[in-house]
Amino acid sequence: VQYEKYMTDLLHGDLGTSIRTQRPVSSELAKSFPATLELTLAAMAIAIVFGVILGVAAAVHRDRWIDHVSRVISLIGVSTPLFWSGIVALIVFYKFIPVFPASGRLDTFLSPPPDVTGLYIIGGLLAGDMDVVLSAVHHLLLPAFCLAYVQMAVVARQVRSSMIDVLEQEPINQGNPLAA
């Protein structure tokens, strides 16, 4: 009976009440969604840019040191659990080499930008507050790189494979450069 009530509520968009905050779960999720979206977009942008660069470099320099390094980086990226790489990155870049913050979206002395989109970088740009933008980017880099690493490895492997296939094809206009 309890499961049936839960499923009925779920189908009607009622996700229940948070045990911790005593607020509806849907409002808690809606409050966190902009941060999740900002992190996901940043991670995908990093993964695509660095994955394509790494894949092209590996394909162009096939069977040389850069190709081997690229394959090792990709293998580690695909094999490493995300939670473990996040913990290691925090230990290294927060504790031992303190260049990134451990948590949060902004420095504690900054107030969030006006809530236009919920995205701090875009909100800071719209408000013209570069301190907020720089702080948001600084807080976003470490988790975005951790998330991007796995996807970057996949993109690099795909780009390398596709580029090698294209590089091994014979030219279409072989012999007559004016032939269409």
Side-chain angles (χ1 to χ4, degrees):
V1 171
Q2 191 175 12
Y3 181 71
E4 181 182 335
K5 180 187 178 329
Y6 170 74
M7 291 304 291
T8 304
D9 290 346
L10 188 63
L11 288 173
H12 289 97
D14 182 7
L15 300 175
T17 305
S18 170
I19 296 171
R20 189 171 56 93
T21 64
Q22 301 304 317
R23 294 180 54 202
V25 171
S26 57
S27 67
E28 295 288 322
L29 288 174
K31 188 172 74 172
S32 319
F33 182 73
T36 303
L37 180 64
E38 195 168 45
L39 176 60
T40 304
L41 292 174
M44 287 310 298
I46 291 168
I48 290 170
V49 168
F50 287 107
V52 168
I53 291 170
L54 196 59
V56 168
V60 170
H61 302 288
R62 186 175 177 194
D63 293 330
R64 295 194 198 131
W65 70 270
I66 196 162
D67 184 27
H68 299 302
V69 169
S70 169
R71 280 191 269 173
V72 168
I73 289 171
S74 295
L75 181 66
I76 292 170
V78 171
S79 305
T80 306
L82 184 59
F83 72 89
W84 189 82
S85 64
I87 291 170
V88 169
L90 268 176
I91 291 170
V92 171
F93 294 111
Y94 173 70
K95 184 171 172 72
F96 292 122
I97 309 169
V99 291
F100 290 110
S103 64
R105 292 180 70 192
L106 286 177
D107 292 332
T108 54
F109 60 87
L110 292 173
S111 46
D115 193 14
V116 176
T117 61
L119 307 175
Y120 283 5
I121 295 173
I122 292 175
L125 287 171
L126 292 174
D129 191 350
M130 289 310 292
D131 290 335
V132 168
V133 172
L134 293 175
S135 178
V137 168
H138 188 236
H139 281 78
L140 190 64
L141 282 177
L142 188 62
F145 271 109
C146 288
L147 280 175
Y149 188 52
V150 175
Q151 295 305 315
M152 181 200 67
V154 173
V155 169
R157 291 175 71 178
Q158 291 294 322
V159 168
R160 178 190 180 273
S161 175
S162 299
M163 185 120 174
I164 286 174
D165 287 344
V166 170
L167 289 174
E168 288 178 348
Q169 289 179 357
E170 291 187 28
I172 296 172
N173 305 6
Q174 192 173 23
N176 185 1
L178 299 176

